[in-house]
Amino acid sequence: FWQRAERAQASFVALSGGNFTTDDLRGKVVLVNFWATTCVACVAEMPKMTETADDLVALRVEMHTIP
């Protein structure tokens, strides 16, 4: 018999400065982008990620950027 597994609990501080948890994301389609200011490739991709986030709004997909 299958039992429902516990969900992993985590909290994050977004690039915008706001906090959110995995519970806040429940039932949503979400793209979470982890990056670092010391990562040259990460910084280079940010303009494209911003453009992608704008496109995802129409699809009701949330994007959160975690530095």
Side-chain angles (χ1 to χ4, degrees), residues 29-43:
V29 178
V30 180
L31 170 64
V32 180
N33 180 36
F34 294 91
W35 68 288
T37 56
T38 57
C39 170
V40 175
C42 297
V43 172

Side-chain angles (χ1 to χ4, degrees), residues 39-51:
C39 170
V40 175
C42 297
V43 172
E45 79 175 0
M46 285 311 291
K48 184 63 177 171
M49 293 303 284
T50 300
E51 183 180 313

Side-chain angles (χ1 to χ4, degrees), residues 15-32:
L15 183 61
S16 63
N19 296 316
F20 65 96
T21 68
T22 49
D23 283 339
D24 296 327
L25 305 178
R26 186 176 180 155
K28 299 177 181 179
V29 178
V30 180
L31 170 64
V32 180

